[in-house]
Amino acid sequence: GENVGLHLPTLSVQEGDNSIINCAYSNSASDYFIWYKQESGKGPQFIIDIRSNMDKRQGQRVTVLLNKTVKHLSLQIAATQPGDSAVYFCAEDTGNQFYFGTGTSLTVIP
Amino acid sequence: GAVVSQHPSRVICKSGTSVKIECRSLDFQATTMFWYRQFPKQSLMLMATSNEGSKATYEQGVEKDKFLINHASLTLSTLTVTSAHPEDSSFYICSARVRQRETQYFGPGTRLLVL
């Protein structure tokens, strides 16, 4: 894959603060985007998704923003908790291809 | 939500032996299943995509004779690592999807250690 060998960027936030994790996607044909959370030793877990006909979608404590103009995706986590510590991956889907981002390691400081 | 299981969760084997990993979609029918490999602190690397009843499509650099994939039903795909070597030691993760442009649901992963 395109991200082979890249090491994860990291983000540290204080418990209770909001977290923003960013992702730049590369394929303008991508029209479906997903955020996953991966805890150590486990498989990725679906968090939230968004289609290209939207620019914002909210879930429980999470919001995904999509800016198609600059091909940018972000995940906002409100009132970050220690249980939010994990690696977060964005993914893009063109219908024919599915790409995983490099991931961001989030550490929540109690 | 959709649940995907993998078995075994952890396996240790001797060099030269073959190991089979199962991936099952428990509460939905998966038209497509995917197999990934992940090294520590790295992203997931797609190995192959399999559609039920068809031959798997392998990513560049992945040996199809080394990593045998069978997708015999809409709820089961298997990955067999043949003649495993220590460099095959890794975390293998499967995912399943109902259709294109829908969420891939991931299994819990299988930790393979080849001695």
Side-chain angles (χ1 to χ4, degrees):
Chain A
E2 297 174 2
N3 300 311
V4 171
L6 296 177
H7 291 274
L8 300 173
T10 58
L11 173 67
S12 295
V13 298
Q14 206 72 38
E15 181 179 357
D17 287 352
N18 296 335
S19 302
I20 299 177
I21 300 171
N22 296 303
C23 177
Y25 66 93
S26 55
N27 196 326
S28 56
S30 296
D31 56 8
Y32 177 56
F33 305 87
I34 313 105
W35 279 101
Y36 291 94
K37 171 186 180 183
Q38 186 180 26
E39 296 176 85
S40 182
K42 299 182 179 179
Q45 176 187 4
F46 170 83
I47 301 174
I48 193 168
D49 59 359
I50 188 168
R51 298 194 183 275
S52 58
N53 60 349
M54 301 175 70
D55 52 23
K56 180 179 180 179
R57 191 159 188 233
Q58 289 184 290
Q60 189 177 15
R61 279 202 309 119
V62 294
T63 301
V64 55
L65 299 178
L66 174 63
N67 185 330
K68 296 181 286 294
T69 303
V70 295
K71 296 206 275 291
H72 184 266
L73 195 66
S74 70
L75 177 70
Q76 300 178 2
I77 304 174
T80 314
Q81 302 168 0
D84 295 327
S85 293
V87 177
Y88 290 82
F89 293 98
C90 66
E92 57 181 300
D93 193 341
T94 67
N96 294 319
Q97 295 287 337
F98 185 87
Y99 303 100
F100 253 92
T102 50
T104 297
S105 177
L106 175 66
T107 300
V108 181
I109 304 166
Chain B
V3 179
V4 176
S5 70
Q6 272 183 251
H7 179 80
S9 58
R10 185 181 296 265
V11 57
I12 301 172
C13 69
K14 292 182 179 180
S15 186
T17 60
S18 294
V19 174
K20 180 185 281 189
I21 303 169
E22 289 189 352
C23 177
R24 293 181 185 273
S25 56
L26 299 185
D27 52 1
F28 66 101
Q29 293 187 323
T31 307
T32 308
M33 287 186 167
F34 304 83
W35 286 95
Y36 294 85
R37 183 174 180 175
Q38 187 177 34
F39 293 104
K41 298 192 185 302
Q42 293 188 20
S43 187
L44 282 71
M45 290 171 43
L46 179 64
M47 298 175 67
T49 302
S50 74
N51 291 296
E52 184 262 341
S54 302
K55 287 185 178 180
T57 301
Y58 290 81
E59 294 299 300
Q60 192 172 8
V62 178
E63 300 175 57
K64 61 180 181 181
D65 295 330
K66 171 78 173 173
F67 299 98
L68 300 178
I69 291 172
N70 185 284
H71 191 164
S73 76
L74 286 172
T75 59
L76 173 64
S77 177
T78 59
L79 168 69
T80 302
V81 183
T82 62
S83 187
H85 291 286
E87 57 266 30
D88 298 325
S89 298
S90 191
F91 192 49
Y92 292 87
I93 310 173
C94 72
S95 70
R97 180 184 73 183
V98 174
R99 61 183 67 86
Q100 289 182 343
R101 294 186 175 88
E102 299 268 340
T103 304
Q104 287 187 30
Y105 293 98
F106 285 83
T110 297
R111 178 77 57 192
L112 171 63
L113 177 62
V114 184
L115 302 177

